[in-house]
Amino acid sequence: MKRVSSHVSIASEAEINLDLSRLLIDKPRFTLERKRSFDEQSWSDLSHRHNDGFDSVAHSPAFRTGFESPFSTGSHFGEPSGPHPLVNEAWEALRKSVVYFRGQPVGTVAAVDHASEEVLNYDQVFVRDFVPSALAFLMNNEPEIVKNFLLRTVHLQSSEKMVDRFKLGAGAMPASFKVDRNVNRNTETLVADFGESAIGRVAPVDSGFWWIILLRAYTKYTGDASLSESPDCQKCMRLILNLCLSEGFDTFPTLLCTDGCSMIDRRMGIYGYPIEIQALFYMALRCALQMLKPDGEGKDFIEKIGQRLHALTYHMRNYFWLDFPHLNNIYRYKTEEYSHTAVNKFNVIPDSIPDWVFDFMPCRGGYFLGNVSPAMMDFRWFALGNCIAIISSLATPEQSSAIMDLIEERWDELVGEVPLKIVYPALENHEWRIITGCDPKNTRWSYHNGGSWPVLLWLLTAACIKTGRPQMAKRAIELSEARLLKDGWPEYYDGKLGKFVGKQARKFQTWSIAGYLVARMMLEDPSTLMMISMEEDRPVKPTMRRSASWNA
């Protein structure tokens, strides 16, 4: 297996300049070519055949008709033994989670745990939770539920959003919704939660980003751009982007967020500029850039997106990136530097580097930091943010390889017995008390504080495929297959290696089920990754034109 050195040099502004003319104009036709094995083939082999264009997405009959049923003709990782027994069990469980509204499927509930006495909000359809379910249905040639979900959430966006007499921004998307059935009147209505009922009363920032990403995935699969080009969806995108691209007092292109605004929905010290949100923000901007109509208001947003992407890419690749050489530089930082020539631009105190980082960071490998803001670097490794950075090409090819090198070198710590650690390491002792507010659910190596989440398997698999390391994904999937069904598809696992079913984990957690299915189907047919993955943006060399006075 070829490995790329992780000694990634900090990119210059010129090197990462985004060529908008390529993204908006140069869009060859996109077709999906089914492949049944993907041993050590690199993602670049596929990406050269499938351009990241959008407007000219071609409907591929071969791609769609290949999904008559899950793995109906597929094999077990290229072997003739047939589909794994877990696949049929997973599909049966996933279908039990489907929610219907006025006779139409509109999503999947968070969990179907009949053994749990407390329902809380696990009987609702969460925007972020539905994404792996949606991808599974798309890969299985069932786009109807995804289209219905996208349209229903668009309509919910226009609902009045009040939290304790305070009105949220018009572009905010719901965290979740449920179907309210009135038996006496024989009516059904959708009731959305924008954070007013959530634990901690935090509105989700990531819901809008996931919605844009899923809209692109739906259009990529179906080849039908009529949904994304509809007035409602165009307006929905503009409203989401308006919240993110508004000018203010920020001196950074990253998005300022509160704790609990993403998948990590409890207080975990991610206030500021968490990597998960920045990576999703970047990916949503690139997806919107492909789908917005370049007329009227759309034209203004396209220009704003281009400017923001340019600055955001430079900022993330330079200031959030950490590998061994960069860690050594931070270790030797001088403080109280002033002027544009300052090296330590955020005035990070070297003594604030936690001891564990020096042992954790291998000579080969790197990752995007959890958070960067004035006088603060969160050195924790966050799974979702780093995987999305690879999938969206926020990470350069060298950085993507370095992230995978790190996962390979620190397999026991990050993958363990059940993939995948949501964050590493866990907060403990006094630090845990201060940062989490003594949250009993977020004790060390549990839930969001270092717990292992099976849903992250699909993101890890996508990153493995894109970087040409399918054997890593295969190993992670096989680990999951040894536990998931036996343990009842739990929400998360506890312990340093993820050995124990989470002490408060729901069983038959829908995104644990869907995450496994998506991971398996991606590995069986890597072309499906094109729905969710973004190609690296390569600046196009300017065309050389002859002078009018030039004579042959």
Side-chain angles (χ1 to χ4, degrees):
M1 179 181 302
K2 184 178 179 181
R3 300 178 68 177
V4 181
S5 172
S6 63
H7 293 191
V8 182
S9 59
I10 301 300
S12 67
E13 188 168 356
E15 288 174 331
I16 57 142
N17 181 41
L18 296 175
D19 193 312
L20 294 181
S21 62
R22 173 185 172 273
L23 288 173
L24 298 174
I25 300 172
D26 184 19
K27 298 178 179 179
R29 288 186 73 81
F30 171 92
T31 55
L32 281 170
E33 177 182 322
R34 287 187 60 79
K35 290 191 69 65
R36 271 297 164 199
S37 65
F38 190 70
D39 277 337
E40 293 299 329
Q41 183 181 9
S42 69
W43 168 254
S44 60
D45 293 337
L46 277 177
S47 63
H48 287 322
R49 290 197 295 272
H50 308 308
N51 185 269
D52 197 27
F54 183 83
D55 289 344
S56 57
V57 172
H59 175 65
S60 173
F63 178 51
R64 283 197 61 173
T65 56
F67 289 93
E68 294 172 0
S69 62
F71 295 93
S72 57
T73 58
S75 60
H76 178 39
F77 297 135
E79 298 172 5
S81 55
H84 194 280
L86 195 59
V87 171
N88 291 332
E89 297 283 352
W91 273 109
E92 184 179 346
L94 180 60
R95 295 195 188 285
K96 288 180 181 178
S97 71
V98 174
V99 173
Y100 290 85
F101 176 66
R102 298 176 183 173
Q104 294 183 322
V106 293
T108 51
V109 294
V112 187
D113 188 355
H114 298 293
S116 177
E117 296 178 0
E118 286 184 315
V119 176
L120 296 177
N121 55 359
Y122 283 84
D123 63 343
Q124 297 188 25
V125 179
F126 280 81
V127 173
R128 76 173 67 98
D129 291 38
F130 181 67
V131 172
S133 295
L135 295 178
F137 284 120
L138 285 175
M139 292 177 185
N140 201 48
N141 193 23
E142 300 179 52
E144 180 191 5
I145 186 173
V146 183
K147 182 177 182 178
N148 293 339
F149 170 85
L150 290 167
L151 287 172
R152 292 299 175 184
T153 43
V154 166
H155 296 150
L156 290 173
Q157 186 193 41
S158 61
S159 306
E160 186 177 30
K161 300 176 265 293
M162 299 289 292
V163 179
D164 292 337
R165 302 182 184 182
F166 180 73
K167 190 174 182 180
L168 275 68
M173 294 294 279
S176 63
F177 64 84
K178 63 181 178 181
V179 179
D180 185 18
R181 295 181 172 87
N182 189 314
V183 179
N184 295 328
R185 295 183 180 181
N186 194 28
T187 59
E188 291 183 347
T189 55
L190 291 182
V191 180
D193 177 13
F194 292 91
E196 68 269 28
S197 300
I199 296 173
R201 300 299 186 268
V202 179
V205 176
D206 61 341
S207 288
F209 299 151
W210 279 122
W211 186 90
I212 292 175
I213 292 167
L214 184 56
L215 178 63
R216 174 183 176 269
Y218 170 84
T219 311
K220 278 270 192 179
Y221 168 76
T222 62
D224 177 16
S226 61
L227 180 62
S228 63
E229 292 178 354
S230 67
D232 285 347
C233 287
Q234 289 286 311
K235 181 182 178 182
C236 181
M237 282 190 285
R238 292 196 301 267
L239 287 173
I240 294 169
L241 295 170
N242 190 54
L243 284 180
C244 309
L245 300 175
S246 299
E247 296 177 351
F249 290 96
D250 286 319
T251 57
F252 311 134
T254 40
L255 197 62
L256 182 64
C257 301
T258 187
D259 248 324
C261 67
S262 59
M263 178 182 173
I264 298 177
D265 58 6
R266 296 269 181 139
R267 183 174 162 189
M268 271 289 289
I270 64 171
Y271 177 87
Y273 307 92
I275 179 59
E276 177 176 329
I277 292 297
Q278 312 316 316
L280 286 171
F281 180 34
Y282 172 87
M283 188 169 185
L285 288 179
R286 287 197 62 188
C287 289
L289 193 63
Q290 295 178 2
M291 294 187 290
L292 283 171
K293 290 184 176 180
D295 54 8
E297 293 181 78
K299 184 178 180 181
D300 295 334
F301 276 101
I302 288 171
E303 184 178 345
K304 289 180 180 179
I305 290 172
Q307 295 171 351
R308 191 61 167 264
L309 277 173
H310 175 79
L312 182 63
T313 308
Y314 178 83
H315 186 93
M316 296 299 296
R317 291 180 180 177
N318 283 272
Y319 303 130
F320 270 70
W321 181 251
L322 186 73
D323 55 14
F324 187 82
H326 194 196
L327 177 61
N328 201 41
N329 290 338
I330 298 172
Y331 179 69
R332 292 168 50 81
Y333 267 171
K334 295 179 181 179
T335 58
E336 303 297 326
E337 292 183 304
Y338 179 75
S339 86
H340 297 290
T341 60
V343 175
N344 185 2
K345 294 185 178 182
F346 296 94
N347 197 37
V348 174
I349 312 300
D351 286 347
S352 69
I353 303 175
D355 292 338
W356 66 265
V357 177
F358 298 103
D359 295 326
F360 179 72
M361 178 62 72
C363 292
R364 300 173 63 89
Y367 64 103
F368 285 97
L369 293 168
N371 215 321
V372 176
S373 59
M376 193 276 283
M377 281 186 173
D378 184 347
F379 289 87
R380 286 176 295 176
W381 180 88
F382 288 83
L384 195 152
N386 276 276
C387 287
I388 289 291
I390 293 175
I391 296 167
S392 67
S393 288
L394 170 60
T396 65
E398 294 79 13
Q399 288 173 336
S400 295
S401 293
I403 293 170
M404 301 310 294
D405 283 342
L406 179 78
I407 294 174
E408 206 166 14
E409 291 286 340
R410 296 288 177 255
W411 185 269
D412 289 342
E413 293 94 329
L414 302 180
V415 179
E417 295 197 11
V418 179
L420 177 69
K421 279 273 178 285
I422 192 170
V423 59
Y424 180 89
L427 300 171
E428 302 185 65
N429 304 322
H430 182 67
E431 187 181 31
W432 168 78
R433 291 185 178 89
I434 298 299
I435 293 178
T436 73
C438 295
D439 188 345
K441 194 168 185 177
N442 263 1
T443 53
R444 64 175 188 165
W445 309 115
S446 179
Y447 200 51
H448 291 313
N449 188 18
S452 297
W453 291 71
V455 65
L456 296 172
L457 181 64
W458 82 265
L459 288 158
L460 175 62
T461 300
C464 288
I465 293 173
K466 188 169 182 182
T467 53
R469 306 194 189 192
Q471 292 301 323
M472 286 178 64
K474 179 181 177 182
R475 182 182 175 191
I477 290 172
E478 288 174 345
L479 284 173
S480 299
E481 288 174 338
R483 295 289 303 273
L484 288 178
L485 181 60
K486 182 177 66 175
D487 295 335
W489 303 99
E491 180 183 16
Y492 64 94
Y493 285 81
D494 286 351
K496 225 171 184 181
L497 296 177
K499 283 184 177 182
F500 308 99
V501 174
K503 55 187 174 184
Q504 294 189 44
R506 288 298 194 279
K507 297 292 185 73
F508 291 93
Q509 187 79 17
T510 303
W511 68 354
S512 295
I513 298 164
Y516 164 73
L517 284 171
V518 172
R520 238 187 174 284
M521 285 192 281
M522 275 186 180
L523 201 58
E524 287 287 342
D525 184 2
S527 67
T528 55
L529 181 60
M530 294 301 296
M531 287 192 295
I532 200 74
S533 178
M534 313 285 293
E535 268 196 87
E536 180 195 5
D537 181 63
R538 298 180 180 87
V540 179
K541 293 182 180 179
T543 304
M544 301 299 293
R545 300 185 183 277
R546 292 176 176 176
S547 167
S549 61
W550 185 87
N551 293 314

